[in-house]
Amino acid sequence: KAMRPMDLLKSALAERQAKAQKTIAETGQKWIKRSELEAKRLEEYFAEKKREEEKWKADEEARLRQLEEHFTKSGQKDQESKKEIPAHLLDEALLADDDAEPPLAVEDIISRFREMG
């Protein structure tokens, strides 16, 4: 059911009266300056904003930490999966192959590419 306008008015007045009672209990005064209310509202706003920023930074640090852990784990797996051929076995394989060419210097490779191009 929708609330009747009178019920809405009564709830708004009750809420306002509760705020007034809270103000009287806190300050001992029945009235309060608007500037004080505005200053309090700004203070609460900035405190909430600071909490949100700290939460965001903590979440960002957690994401970065998790990403870093992921990369270190995958890096270890890559290193384990790469089986390097020992140099002496590689040399023996080249010696056993009659058609194999010896490794070339970088300058020779570059000059060959230039000749081809």
Side-chain angles (χ1 to χ4, degrees):
K1 286 183 173 181
M3 291 187 74
R4 293 182 174 168
M6 195 64 165
D7 292 337
L8 289 173
L9 181 61
K10 284 181 182 179
S11 65
L13 287 174
E15 184 179 321
R16 195 171 192 184
Q17 194 169 13
K19 279 186 180 179
Q21 292 296 325
K22 182 181 172 190
T23 303
I24 291 171
E26 288 177 357
T27 62
Q29 298 174 340
K30 287 191 174 190
W31 53 270
I32 189 163
K33 292 181 181 177
R34 182 122 178 118
S35 62
E36 291 175 7
L37 285 175
E38 187 64 20
K40 187 175 180 182
R41 187 188 67 79
L42 279 175
E43 182 180 313
E44 291 172 358
Y45 169 77
F46 286 124
E48 179 65 25
K49 189 174 181 180
K50 185 177 180 181
R51 281 192 297 273
E52 288 177 6
E53 286 178 5
E54 289 172 354
K55 182 180 180 284
W56 184 84
K57 284 181 183 178
D59 290 346
E60 187 68 21
E61 288 175 3
R63 279 193 294 272
L64 288 173
R65 205 174 315 111
Q66 191 175 25
L67 183 65
E68 186 176 319
E69 289 174 7
H70 173 73
F71 282 139
T72 56
K73 287 180 183 177
S74 65
Q76 290 172 353
K77 288 180 183 177
D78 288 345
Q79 289 176 357
E80 292 172 4
S81 66
K82 290 181 183 176
K83 296 179 181 178
E84 294 186 21
I85 301 172
H88 66 281
L89 292 178
L90 187 61
D91 291 339
E92 289 176 10
L94 286 174
L95 289 174
D97 189 7
D98 292 335
D99 297 328
E101 293 183 20
L104 299 174
V106 175
E107 295 83 21
D108 295 337
I109 294 172
I110 293 172
S111 63
R112 281 189 177 185
F113 279 126
R114 286 188 180 148
E115 289 172 4
M116 292 170 71

